[in-house]
Amino acid sequence: MGARGSVATTAITGLLALRAGLVRPVGCVTERLDMDHTVLPTWDEIIVGGHDIVSIPLDKRAEQLAESGLIPHSVFTAVADGLRAVDTELRSGYHPVSHTGSQAEAAARLVADIADFRARHSLDRVVVVNVTSTEPPVPALPEHDDLDLLVQALNDPQRTVLPPSSLGAYAALTSSSPYVDFTPSPGIKMPALVELARRQGLPYAGADGKTGETLLRTVLAPMFVARALDVRSWAGTNLLGGGDGANLADPEQARGKLESKARGLARLIGDVTAPLHIDNVPDLAERKIAWDYVSFEGFLGAKMSLQFTWDGYDSALAAPLVLDLARLVAAAHADGQSGALAALAFFFKDPLGTDEHRFAEQTRMLNEWAADL
């Protein structure tokens, strides 16, 4: 979901480059795990399809990313034919504005696309990964808590009961496909969709991929706690451009992202002053810069501070994790696992199935789980 966005395009380009031996699997955690690697799909065994509401050809999107400095031109040139081949597997996504009819009909079309993709390629399984633009939180409805009520409401052409991310999750689960939410959008978090996953016996993972500033927070915050240093405030500023920056320039769109970031920090160090905001800087294009200022107190009330700046290409950090999650969730599905995959908290800002946010503990959980696959 979001197959022509920056993250998906980077992941697809990287997958094709890995297959061709053009790049090393830098950032791919699955390559470093101490586990039985035969349970993971190889790079050659992963076939890509997807949905998106934009129609720009995938190779043109990758060319834009190459112009921004994210994808090396030599890599883009080498895999351009492969990108055009993948583009033939992409279908129109669900758009609530342009769609006519009930949401049940929209979901049925997405399910049919997934089923056709699975059949044409004789696939063992399909893993649906949501990398669409961040959606705002939605008002709670009774149908979000009850699967039977939800199904009834979806058949009413006068109602829009699910946001696009949750309709995509509903379609994925209905098609018997495991689901990964790499965004902070509502997605699969609704109790009715959790119940659908349970009925279908499917694993799922999420939410909101952890790639930069929050990754550092989950490493550094436990240090302050372990050393009994009193954090007084933790302020953060995010500067980003590209489509993500434009989307998150809307305060309502950004609200879900900010809440996801704040929840993790609060669980790590408790209730402290932690202002956080996001600014759209179009000139940065695909780059993302995060600056954090941590005020803390030591022995005898000594006032001290820590500052850090993270400057990177967020899609380059996210893309290998998307590939990792597709492999790991596929392996979990093959292993007969179902429900929230808490051991994959390592990858997320707002992990489903666990309240563990300490990076070292998340790493331990992932390693132990992977070793048992």
Side-chain angles (χ1 to χ4, degrees):
M1 298 167 57
R4 293 186 172 101
S6 296
V7 172
T9 302
T10 306
I12 296 166
T13 301
L15 175 64
L16 297 173
L18 286 167
R19 282 184 190 162
L22 299 173
V23 297
R24 296 182 296 113
V26 176
C28 294
V29 177
T30 45
E31 292 292 288
R32 300 178 62 88
L33 290 174
D34 184 10
M35 62 179 295
D36 178 6
H37 283 82
T38 64
V39 305
L40 298 174
T42 65
W43 304 126
D44 288 336
E45 291 173 330
I46 299 175
I47 309 298
V48 181
H51 288 104
D52 208 315
I53 61 173
V54 300
S55 57
I56 181 173
L58 194 60
D59 62 319
K60 296 301 181 184
R61 185 71 187 99
E63 186 175 22
Q64 292 174 351
L65 297 181
E67 291 299 323
S68 75
L70 174 58
I71 296 173
H73 281 279
S74 59
V75 171
F76 164 69
T77 301
V79 304
D81 288 343
L83 290 167
R84 286 187 279 271
V86 172
D87 197 66
T88 66
E89 299 290 346
L90 306 186
R91 303 291 181 262
S92 296
Y94 165 70
H95 197 306
V97 175
S98 59
H99 174 71
T100 58
S102 70
Q103 285 198 305
E105 292 171 321
R109 178 176 64 82
L110 300 180
V111 170
D113 288 342
I114 294 171
D116 176 64
F117 176 67
R118 180 188 288 117
R120 282 188 296 105
H121 294 285
S122 301
L123 303 176
D124 291 329
R125 57 192 47 82
V126 175
V127 177
V128 176
V129 184
N130 179 23
V131 285
T132 57
S133 296
T134 297
E135 298 169 357
V138 295
L141 298 173
E143 291 85 355
H144 295 165
D145 294 329
D146 186 296
L147 180 57
D148 296 327
L149 288 179
L150 176 62
V151 172
Q152 292 177 26
L154 290 174
N155 280 286
D156 184 345
Q158 303 304 314
R159 298 194 63 188
T160 301
V161 69
L162 289 180
S165 65
S166 297
L167 189 76
Y170 176 83
L173 299 171
T174 302
S175 71
S176 299
S177 302
Y179 177 83
V180 178
D181 203 338
F182 207 75
T183 81
S185 300
I188 200 173
K189 299 185 188 80
M190 297 176 180
L193 298 181
V194 171
E195 172 61 16
L196 178 57
R198 188 195 66 78
R199 292 186 189 181
Q200 295 284 73
L202 292 168
Y204 58 90
D208 198 4
K210 181 168 61 180
T211 56
E213 178 188 35
T214 308
L215 174 64
L216 271 174
R217 287 181 168 198
T218 60
V219 173
L220 293 173
M223 174 195 71
F224 287 104
V225 174
R227 290 296 298 268
L229 297 171
D230 190 5
V231 175
R232 309 299 295 171
S233 63
W234 194 314
T237 294
N238 287 236
L239 310 176
L240 63 158
D244 204 22
N247 180 55
L248 295 176
D250 181 339
E252 189 61 21
Q253 297 290 113
R255 186 156 61 96
K257 173 71 75 174
L258 294 173
E259 289 175 358
S260 174
K261 285 173 168 281
R263 276 193 295 270
L265 186 62
R267 289 191 177 120
L268 286 165
I269 59 173
D271 186 17
V272 300
T273 301
L276 178 65
H277 63 92
I278 298 172
D279 291 326
N280 178 30
V281 184
D283 180 61
L284 290 177
E286 296 297 324
R287 285 172 57 215
K288 178 178 178 180
I289 298 171
W291 173 76
D292 276 33
Y293 180 89
V294 186
S295 173
F296 65 97
E297 185 176 294
F299 195 50
L300 302 179
K303 307 293 188 189
M304 294 172 275
S305 66
L306 165 71
Q307 298 182 55
F308 68 81
T309 302
W310 179 279
D311 183 352
Y313 287 97
D314 208 45
S315 294
L317 294 162
L321 304 185
V322 169
L323 299 178
D324 283 331
L325 286 162
R327 301 178 87 192
L328 291 168
V329 173
H333 188 224
D335 195 42
Q337 298 186 30
S338 62
L341 298 174
L344 300 186
F346 173 93
F347 295 96
F348 299 108
K349 296 183 183 74
D350 197 15
L352 302 178
T354 179
D355 286 332
E356 182 57 74
H357 287 262
R358 295 169 296 174
F359 189 69
E361 288 301 306
Q362 291 177 336
T363 303
R364 179 191 58 77
M365 290 165 57
L366 175 63
N367 286 329
E368 291 179 356
W369 176 83
D372 289 336
L373 282 172

